[in-house]
Amino acid sequence: MIEVKDLVRRFKSGDRTITPVNGVSFEFGKGSLASIVGKSGSGKSTLLSLLGALDKPTSGDVVVDGVSLAGLPDGKLTEYRRRDIGFVFQQFNLIPNLSALDNVMLPMEFAGIRKAARAQRARELLEQVQLEPEKHTRRTNRLSGGEQQRVAIARALANEPKLILADEPTGNLDEQTGEHIIELLSSLSRDHNTTILVVTHDRGLAQKTDRRFRLQQGRLNEEVTAGK
Amino acid sequence: MSVLARSVGNAFRNKIRTAAVVAVLAVAIGLALSMLVANQAVGAKVQELNASVGTTLTVNPAGGQGFEGGGEPLTSADAATAAAVPNVTSVVGTKALRLRTETTTAGSTDPADGAAQPGPGGPGGQAASLTTSLVAAVDAGTLGTRNNAGNSGSTAARTFTLPITATGIAAEVDTAGKALEITSGTGLGDYTVAGTKALVGTTLAEKNLLKVGSTFTIADKTYTVTGVFDAGTAFGNNAVYLTLPEAQALAGTPGELSSMVVTVNSMENVDTTKTELQEALGSGKADVTQGQRNLETAVASLDSVKGISLVAFIAALATAGLIILLIMVMLVRERRREIGVLKAIGARNRTIGLQFVLEALVLVALGSVVGAAIASFASGGIASALVSSNSAAGTTGAAAQRGPAGGLPGGAFPGGGQGGPFGGASQLLTSVTANASPGVIAAGIAAVFAVAVVGALVPALLTARIRPIEVLRGE
Ligand SMILES: Nc1ncnc2c1ncn2[C@@H]1O[C@H](COP(=O)(O)OP(=O)(O)O)[C@@H](O)[C@H]1O
Ligand SMILES: [Mg+2]
């Protein structure tokens, strides 16, 4: 369902050219939890932003359910992010002055879902990520890191996306909280039949995913490890 | 949570900054609204002035305004001629009399001091001089004493009072053609027949303890006060009005007029009518002047106030727009990353742009509420400050213009005659009341919002250029 074809992203800074993504190709089925590992600065975030249409590739293409992103105008890319993608960031990136509920409702508002329906669904999602009900209406800048990340995951799930892209979702959390988050993502990918791609440099967390990729010198290689 | 609710929330994210922005906006908006109110008030006043007094012409005998007055007096026939000129709606003839107080000139029954005073005795010597039981309510002052001393050429130590002006009028209007404001009693009734009824000015009535029904004498004839009028000035109120035929009879010159006040049907026709009137009467016979010349100064000074207030309104409006523009540009820069987040989770450019415009409007709405309050308190003061600082210049000009007339003996006439309407004009100037009418305030606030939308649109459009990848900045 997601095909990545010879993706290249090149940055020019001054007279130097960096190519963190240099010919990445892979295919991805529905309902799996995959991880990408790689050293800091190896281009993991760059690759994720290309998959999520936050950025445009220098060359190559991402094809989602037969639709090529390369040919889409900005408006369609916005729609793609809204409908097909859910992002989870290392810095959570919630709107700090809005409540947890309001944050989860935002993507649904952008998708034109009626207010009552989105409030209902937002509450359900916050329950699924195990945020205590009394914290649903709390401003997100008053929540702990782990709570914020759970709200962010609920927000990513809001429009039932095909693909959730999580960029080091545990990077700002302690080990135990991080493990909880990965377990949550793992169970959600099963329950929602959603593909989740997690970028991490924590090998331990990566071990818990169905498929593991390694980004090295701009290329992505699947790690085949025996047993699981 | 809607876009609007989010915008309102965002407007209050940093309360201290919001308060500061609203305060600055309120000053700019308050100033803009005050200027608009002042502009409207002054504009209305200019219109009122133009409409009420800008359409009259004064006709005097040729040379009648000079020191060496001469020529032929105006007659009823001239009034008929004037009335026949196109666009003339009314002609009111007046006959002026100078009254001197009997008691002050106890010893001076000599004719030189009486009716036979030549040239200096008034406009072109056409004001007959008669004795009266009345005492002038105005001090002679330096000019009056000098003039009187020059006149009589007799005892220099004598104390002089100003003559009182008695004017015969053919309608209930003053010498400038303005309707008389009768504060007690009634008018003279029929102004076209001779009679012993009289109207006296307020100060003259006070000085002589006259009330409605009181009597006094002119040339030993007894007159009854039927009403007291207020001309608005001391000189204007040191006067008596009789019916035209009565004044003509007193002067012994039936059918003669000192001057005529001609009313033209509209402002636009005043200039052409003036020319036509002059032609019809003959330039050797009569001088046609725009009776309210001094008011032109008033109107011109008011017009400049109107111009200043308009410029200030636009400047304050532009300032408000600029404040919004800069604040919103700052907010957009500050929230780059958040805009990236909104784009990453699928917000359309126009949704984000709208959110910022609405946020700007929330700030402007708050600024407008405070600004309107400021304006409703300050606009009256601002308007009168503008008007008085401007009319100071106007008064100086008018005083210079009045100089030669005031130098005439009996400065009250025609100096007083011209001073009267001018006095009225300066009163009109200061009586510009800037009421912050809801309609004007509403129009002003609409303009503020229009400018704010324009000011906010620029930063809102800037948000469209922020790329969603901004969300990863700093990670
Ligand atoms: N907008 C950009 N301009 C220039 N260089 C960039 C830009 N974004 C990323 N890079 C560079 O690309 C490389 C990969 O970055 P990134 O994808 O963030 O790595 P990772 O997420 O794996 O740590 C880094 O060297 C980074 O400096
Ligand atoms: Mg990264």
Side-chain angles (χ1 to χ4, degrees):
Chain A
M1 93 185 239
I2 293 179
E3 287 171 75
V4 176
K5 295 177 177 171
D6 204 19
L7 213 52
V8 177
R9 181 65 169 105
R10 196 167 285 135
F11 294 111
K12 279 197 179 73
S13 51
D15 48 358
R16 238 162 52 91
T17 317
I18 318 163
T19 316
V21 177
N22 194 5
V24 169
S25 301
F26 65 94
E27 265 182 49
F28 228 53
K30 213 171 159 69
S32 53
L33 177 64
S35 61
I36 298 176
V37 291
K39 279 187 285 188
S40 184
S42 59
K44 303 183 297 293
S45 295
T46 303
L47 177 59
L48 227 56
S49 69
L50 295 174
L51 297 180
L54 294 177
D55 193 15
K56 289 176 185 174
T58 309
S59 68
D61 199 1
V62 177
V63 181
V64 181
D65 285 349
V67 179
S68 156
L69 295 188
L72 294 181
D74 282 355
K76 287 282 177 194
L77 291 177
T78 301
E79 193 183 319
Y80 165 72
R81 289 194 297 270
R82 183 167 64 238
R83 278 194 357 202
D84 297 337
I85 301 293
F87 287 100
V88 178
F89 302 99
Q90 183 177 348
Q91 318 267 354
F92 321 132
N93 277 335
L94 296 170
I95 308 297
N97 64 326
L98 297 186
S99 70
L101 267 173
D102 284 333
N103 266 281
V104 179
M105 287 197 287
L106 264 185
M108 295 188 262
E109 181 195 316
F110 298 149
I113 293 167
R114 281 184 27 250
K115 198 167 183 173
R118 56 186 199 241
Q120 168 73 22
R121 178 164 168 75
R123 239 173 266 120
E124 284 168 14
L125 287 169
L126 286 175
E127 275 164 30
Q128 282 179 39
V129 298
Q130 288 141 33
L131 187 77
E132 293 90 327
E134 70 267 23
K135 292 176 181 169
H136 289 194
T137 51
R138 195 177 289 182
R139 287 165 54 137
T140 53
N141 57 3
R142 304 251 170 85
L143 296 175
S144 73
E147 287 164 344
Q148 286 195 49
Q149 197 60 303
R150 275 183 272 162
V151 174
I153 290 167
R155 183 178 71 180
L157 286 166
N159 286 335
E160 296 180 70
K162 291 172 181 155
L163 177 64
I164 287 182
L165 299 170
D167 193 352
E168 308 207 28
T170 61
N172 274 7
L173 303 174
D174 61 71
E175 208 176 318
Q176 204 183 351
T177 315
E179 259 174 55
H180 275 129
I181 292 292
I182 291 296
E183 274 162 25
L184 184 62
L185 286 173
S186 176
S187 72
L188 287 172
S189 81
R190 256 177 276 121
D191 297 351
H192 288 257
N193 196 23
T194 301
T195 308
I196 301 183
L197 189 55
V198 184
V199 161
T200 179
H201 53 239
D202 185 332
R203 299 231 52 160
L205 293 182
Q207 294 302 326
K208 297 196 167 83
T209 59
D210 307 330
R211 292 175 78 184
R212 286 173 295 283
F213 296 90
R214 169 172 289 274
L215 190 61
Q216 224 168 5
Q217 263 111 42
R219 302 204 174 249
L220 197 69
N221 301 302
E222 185 154 10
E223 292 190 340
V224 189
T225 34
K228 196 219 143 193
Chain B
M1 172 132 292
S2 63
V3 184
L4 179 62
R6 215 156 45 239
S7 302
V8 173
N10 280 343
F12 290 102
R13 247 159 110 160
N14 184 333
K15 291 190 180 64
I16 291 170
R17 186 166 65 197
T18 300
V21 169
V22 167
V24 174
L25 271 176
V27 170
I29 293 170
L31 191 62
L33 294 178
S34 300
M35 287 303 152
L36 186 64
V37 169
N39 180 268
Q40 297 292 308
V42 171
K45 200 78 211 176
V46 166
Q47 238 175 16
E48 187 189 312
L49 282 182
N50 280 340
S52 69
V53 292
T55 55
T56 56
L57 296 171
T58 304
V59 183
N60 286 301
Q65 286 190 311
F67 286 94
E68 311 298 330
E72 294 299 315
L74 294 169
T75 62
S76 306
D78 292 321
T81 311
V85 171
N87 296 324
V88 169
T89 51
S90 79
V91 176
V92 176
T94 64
K95 178 66 189 176
L97 305 169
R98 293 182 81 217
L99 307 180
R100 1 184 84 258
T101 311
E102 290 159 345
T103 48
T104 58
T105 55
S108 77
T109 41
D110 65 296
D113 224 23
Q117 279 198 6
Q126 52 171 322
S129 188
L130 301 163
T131 57
T132 179
S133 63
L134 297 173
V135 179
V138 192
D139 281 340
T142 308
L143 286 177
T145 307
R146 195 186 298 159
N147 292 331
N148 278 292
N151 274 346
S152 74
S154 58
T155 5
R158 213 169 86 186
T159 49
F160 298 99
T161 51
L162 279 181
I164 300 158
T165 308
T167 310
I169 45 176
E172 202 165 288
V173 292
D174 65 13
T175 48
K178 251 179 65 192
L180 279 176
E181 196 185 313
I182 295 175
T183 53
S184 72
T186 58
L188 299 177
D190 190 349
Y191 287 81
T192 59
V193 295
T196 57
K197 293 180 196 167
L199 296 171
V200 293
T202 47
T203 52
L204 193 62
E206 250 168 64
K207 177 87 178 177
N208 293 282
L209 306 170
L210 296 176
K211 284 198 194 66
V212 173
S214 307
T215 57
F216 63 95
T217 64
I218 297 173
D220 299 329
K221 193 171 173 185
T222 303
Y223 288 87
T224 310
V225 176
T226 66
V228 178
F229 65 88
D230 183 9
T233 63
F235 278 101
N237 282 334
N238 185 41
V240 175
Y241 285 112
L242 307 169
T243 65
L244 180 60
E246 183 65 26
Q248 288 170 331
L250 273 173
T253 55
E256 274 189 29
L257 300 172
S258 311
S259 70
M260 301 189 289
V261 176
V262 175
T263 307
V264 183
N265 59 3
S266 79
M267 267 304 276
E268 300 86 69
N269 294 328
V270 169
D271 283 344
T272 53
T273 307
K274 188 182 166 194
T275 316
E276 283 169 21
L277 195 57
Q278 186 70 74
E279 275 169 20
L281 296 169
S283 56
K285 165 95 180 158
D287 286 334
V288 179
T289 50
Q290 203 157 347
Q292 307 298 330
R293 180 136 312 203
N294 35 35
L295 271 177
E296 283 172 24
T297 328
V299 169
S301 106
L302 277 182
D303 263 335
S304 78
V305 171
K306 201 179 160 208
I308 291 166
S309 57
L310 186 65
V311 169
F313 167 67
I314 292 168
L317 206 59
T319 306
L322 198 64
I323 291 167
I324 280 294
L325 179 87
L326 295 176
I327 290 297
M328 294 318 288
V329 166
M330 189 184 83
L331 287 179
V332 167
R333 288 177 65 106
E334 204 176 270
R335 295 199 205 133
R336 268 184 102 77
R337 186 192 176 96
E338 190 176 309
I339 292 165
V341 173
L342 291 174
K343 291 192 174 190
I345 63 175
R348 293 172 189 84
N349 284 340
R350 62 181 143 97
T351 308
I352 299 168
L354 178 66
Q355 184 184 312
F356 274 86
V357 170
L358 288 177
E359 185 173 342
L361 293 186
V362 170
L363 294 173
V364 170
L366 290 172
S368 294
V369 170
V370 182
I374 291 175
S376 58
F377 285 113
S379 57
I382 289 178
S384 55
L386 271 177
V387 169
S388 64
S389 69
N390 228 271
S391 62
T395 315
T396 321
Q401 180 189 328
R402 209 169 80 178
L408 285 172
F413 197 87
Q418 290 201 343
F422 184 75
S426 33
Q427 260 199 339
L428 290 173
L429 279 179
T430 47
S431 74
V432 171
T433 46
N435 291 324
S437 82
V440 173
I441 293 277
I445 288 178
V448 168
F449 271 85
V451 169
V453 168
V454 173
L457 224 47
V458 176
L461 291 176
L462 280 180
T463 64
R465 297 184 46 176
I466 293 174
R467 295 178 311 132
I469 192 75
E470 290 291 334
V471 71
L472 290 181
R473 273 285 155 82
E475 271 195 14

